[in-house]
Amino acid sequence: MKRTAQGIAYTALLTSSLASGLAAEGIGGLSQAVDTPRATSGVADDLTIIFDYRKDYRALSFGFQPSDRFEIGISFPTYDEGTGSSSGNELSFGLRFLDESAYFPALTVGIVGLGSDDRGAGEYILASKSIGPVLVSGGLGWGRYADQTVVDRGADGGVFRTDHLFEGDTESFANIVWDTGINGLIASAEYSGVAGPDADDTLAASLSYELIEGLRVTGLVNNQGNAGLRLEFAANPRQPFVQTNIGRGPHPYVENRPLRAGQAQPNEAQVFAILTERLEKENIDITRFSMRGDTIDVTASSNTDVVFARIVGRVSRVLSAIAPPNITTFRVTQNTGAFDSNVVVLDRAGLDRAVGKPNAAELAWGATSFAPSPLARLTALGEREFEPRFTYGFTPTFKADFITSDTLELTGTLNANARYTFSPQTFVAGTVGYRFLNQWDQQDPPAEPGIRSDFTSYEPDIAFLQSLSVRHRFRVAPEVYGRVSAGLFERAYGGVSGEMIWRDPEQNFALGLEATYVQKRAYEGWFGFEDADATTLIGSVYANVGTNGNFVIVDAGQHLADDFAVGLTVGRNYRNGWRIAASTGWSEERDSALKFGAEISIPLSWTSAEGGTGTTNLSIGGQSGDFGSRVSGTGTLYDELRTSDKRRIEDGFGEFWN
């Protein structure tokens, strides 16, 4: 999405300098004007990620709306205080009790930093009214909204308290948010009764500009001599990030009526030609086609659509119109790149019975079964001889870093990726990274190399070779997949790795086993190793549970510190390509759980050199100690095969007729 230079210039006026002094602080992931709250205005499942940066304050915040009127926020603030820094975390809630009407405002109640004695804790009651493109809000605040420095709110010797809520001194606040009508440009202004070092009241203003769809930059300034920068990513994992092309609808389904049997029927080559021509217009590629007996067998894929159920539905609709009446079964094979992983088998008569019914998607699922793809198949139409190819791309990754900092810091790394693919199963790939946001101070290498705790001994402020390895994938049986990898897997380790995974397409779980032998990489330079090695042997259970893409992964075995550890990951695969997961773990060498981690993977076409379904990742927390740690970057097979899970395809069957 292109934006005008004028809008960017307006924002730059507020972000050109970062003044000294105690800055006003963000609001823990809830809706806000500048630093005072406004009414919840999103829709269910909206997700917001905000990074606030001021000279003496920074925070990473996550906001989520379980419903249109209720939002949850969690924030990780860090305060620089001259002699050191302090950090905390804030769990926040906002609830819109009353919706706005023609004559009355909306009423919202919020609690920030529930149960926390952090200086960011506070409560508010807020009334909001829309007047054309302007949202006007006013309210009364407690805690942080009434005093610049808040202490002892919500905790007493580690005991959770609630008797302080909506108690104590109060101050009023008000704000306006104006959509200027210039593409992506929003202006805000606010008043707060909280005094600061330069004035008895606080006045603040901001300009916010949407650089690209979903990514917004905001410049902030107030009369207390403070300025700052806010980056905000907002999207909804239940909706496509990029507007799809709705200029052409899918081909209508044609029922297989008996009168068609007396008509002239197309042969295999004719059906294949019509099928490929029509599906090309829907960005669906047919790489294999055969018509034998009563069955049509096709392999279909799309580089722009991550919902395989929708691809299957569109293939079936075209086939319904052109396949001879003696064809009773459509077999649509799913390909993950290295493997033909699933065969989705559709009963044509069952699809006929579903047409026009209110529960058509459910009936179509009832006419569907799964089978493993055979190891060898007869030559078919559309098969192409593989041509080796070179591809490249650039991918940003963001992490709220507990590993190289005692306090929360958002780190950003730009990765330049290159791959040369010899065959569908074999490739060599490398990644060069540069950490452009929040480097660390290099520490002297320890006398004996550590597992993860010595990460700050690696050289900062340089482009580094993140990985350079060769990977080969193969199948030993229809349900058994294998992989071998060798090279530099991550910045800290290189070696060899092997993996086997069993998955039956009719089941909602899979079993895997990975063995690695690695050497510690040198602290300086792209190549070289330290005198330290490790062996891991880790078994995994991958289970799809419930509905809506929910999954659980359990890993157990010998990890890098030669300790026996168990890892647990829970999350959701959304049918539009989003993935959200949280993880923790336990080690025999630790009395308490290992640190919590979370990851969000977002399909953004603008992060991929070739467009399509490229992703960018944001992670928080993660492994900061040596125990319970495993090698990353080996290329675990489930990362490639999870799009073929039966449960994930079932979750997307509501899109079958779209």
Side-chain angles (χ1 to χ4, degrees), residues 267-269 271-273 275-276 286-299 319 323-324 327 329-333 374 377-383:
N267 58 32
E268 182 182 35
V271 173
F272 171 64
L275 179 69
T276 54
I286 301 299
T287 56
R288 186 181 187 280
F289 177 91
S290 69
M291 187 171 75
R292 295 184 175 89
D294 61 358
T295 300
I296 285 179
D297 193 336
V298 301
T299 299
L319 287 177
I327 298 296
T329 304
F330 302 147
R331 292 168 55 93
V332 184
T333 299
R377 294 184 296 183
L378 298 175
T379 302
L381 298 175
E383 291 188 284

Side-chain angles (χ1 to χ4, degrees), residues 514-527:
E514 181 189 47
T516 64
Y517 171 79
V518 290
Q519 194 89 4
K520 185 78 172 182
R521 289 179 63 184
Y523 293 113
E524 296 190 2
W526 282 20
F527 303 98

Side-chain angles (χ1 to χ4, degrees), residues 377-522:
R377 294 184 296 183
L378 298 175
T379 302
L381 298 175
E383 291 188 284
R384 309 162 191 165
E385 184 177 350
F386 183 84
E387 296 182 2
R389 60 180 180 268
F390 174 79
T391 57
Y392 66 92
F394 297 90
T395 306
T397 58
F398 298 93
K399 183 177 179 65
D401 193 2
F402 290 101
I403 297 178
T404 60
S405 173
D406 292 332
T407 59
L408 178 75
E409 288 185 336
L410 182 69
T411 66
T413 303
L414 179 63
N415 302 302
N417 313 299
R419 174 187 293 192
Y420 187 81
T421 305
F422 299 96
S423 73
Q425 289 75 39
T426 308
F427 66 84
V428 60
T431 298
V432 174
Y434 179 74
R435 185 156 141 168
F436 61 87
L437 180 62
N438 280 329
Q439 293 283 3
W440 61 91
D441 294 327
Q442 187 175 14
Q443 306 295 317
D444 292 333
E448 294 184 5
I451 304 300
R452 299 288 187 203
S453 57
D454 60 352
F455 191 80
T456 52
S457 296
Y458 283 90
E459 190 175 2
D461 285 318
I462 62 168
F464 59 89
L465 183 61
Q466 172 72 16
S467 63
L468 180 62
S469 63
V470 61
R471 190 180 308 169
H472 177 69
R473 290 77 49 83
F474 56 92
R475 295 171 70 192
V476 296
E479 297 91 359
V480 181
Y481 303 77
R483 168 191 58 83
V484 291
S485 305
L488 307 177
F489 298 133
E490 53 165 285
R491 195 168 190 188
Y493 289 99
V496 294
S497 173
E499 180 187 12
M500 300 293 288
I501 188 171
W502 172 88
R503 61 175 298 279
D504 184 334
E506 282 287 356
Q507 305 300 323
N508 283 314
F509 69 94
L511 304 175
L513 181 66
E514 181 189 47
T516 64
Y517 171 79
V518 290
Q519 194 89 4
K520 185 78 172 182
R521 289 179 63 184

Side-chain angles (χ1 to χ4, degrees), residues 122-123 141-143 146 153 161-170:
E123 304 84 49
W142 290 259
R153 286 184 61 85
R161 290 174 41 225
T162 59
D163 57 356
H164 66 290
L165 297 178
F166 301 96
E167 293 287 342
D169 296 336
T170 62

